[in-house]
Amino acid sequence: MTLEQYASAYTGGAHDNESITTLTVNPKTGRIYTLGDMFVPGSDYKARLEMLIAIQQKGDNRLLEQMKKPTVAYQKVIISGNEKFYLNSDLDNWGIYVVYNPGEVAPMAAGIQKYYLPIDTISDIISYQLK
């Protein structure tokens, strides 16, 4: 089970101050999971997630270019295993979202960044806890 908490406050600046907090917990045992816990040990999940997120960032910017809008100056995402994340168990879109607060991987004005990792792109490295 995953819980998400959004907060937003306007303090008179150029944009709202937003933040997201997530918590993924096993409701039967009370164990709290990190992103790293979701993957098979030794699977090099960090490199896979970094690649999938980089692809999404490039795709988002290509779309913005096609729409003749300014692109986003994304930072390269380096996965540590302790990122905020939540599970999406919708049958049509089963997977994991990795989320970053404003300013962590994109300019503050870009807001909260969410990267969707569909189950079919990570199913071979998902830990038994999700299967």
Side-chain angles (χ1 to χ4, degrees):
M1 175 173 77
T2 300
L3 306 170
E4 304 168 70
Q5 181 180 25
Y6 290 91
S8 179
Y10 181 70
T11 58
H15 45 77
D16 291 354
N17 294 316
E18 299 179 298
S19 68
I20 184 171
T21 303
T22 64
L23 179 70
T24 301
V25 62
N26 181 325
K28 292 180 184 175
T29 66
R31 179 176 176 202
I32 297 172
Y33 295 108
T34 66
L35 179 63
D37 292 333
M38 299 293 99
F39 296 95
V40 173
S43 64
D44 200 19
Y45 74 91
K46 293 177 183 180
R48 173 93 56 98
L49 272 54
E50 290 169 3
M51 176 194 64
L52 292 169
I53 290 171
I55 289 168
Q56 289 181 47
Q57 290 175 331
K58 288 177 186 173
D60 289 348
N61 272 336
R62 274 196 299 270
L63 179 60
L64 289 169
E65 287 172 354
Q66 291 294 318
M67 295 171 25
K68 309 260 188 260
K69 294 191 175 193
T71 59
V72 176
Y74 292 111
Q75 297 172 17
K76 181 179 179 353
V77 170
I78 305 296
I79 298 292
S80 70
N82 294 312
E83 286 75 15
K84 290 177 279 306
F85 76 100
Y86 62 91
L87 304 175
N88 182 26
S89 59
D90 178 17
L91 293 178
D92 293 332
N93 296 310
W94 208 91
I96 295 175
Y97 279 89
V98 179
V99 295
Y100 294 92
N101 282 315
E104 290 182 330
V105 298
M108 292 288 289
I112 293 171
Q113 299 296 303
K114 295 182 179 184
Y115 299 103
Y116 175 58
L117 308 169
I119 193 64
D120 62 340
T121 64
I122 55 175
S123 63
D124 60 317
I125 57 174
I126 287 286
S127 177
Y128 72 91
Q129 296 152 344
L130 292 180
K131 291 185 176 180

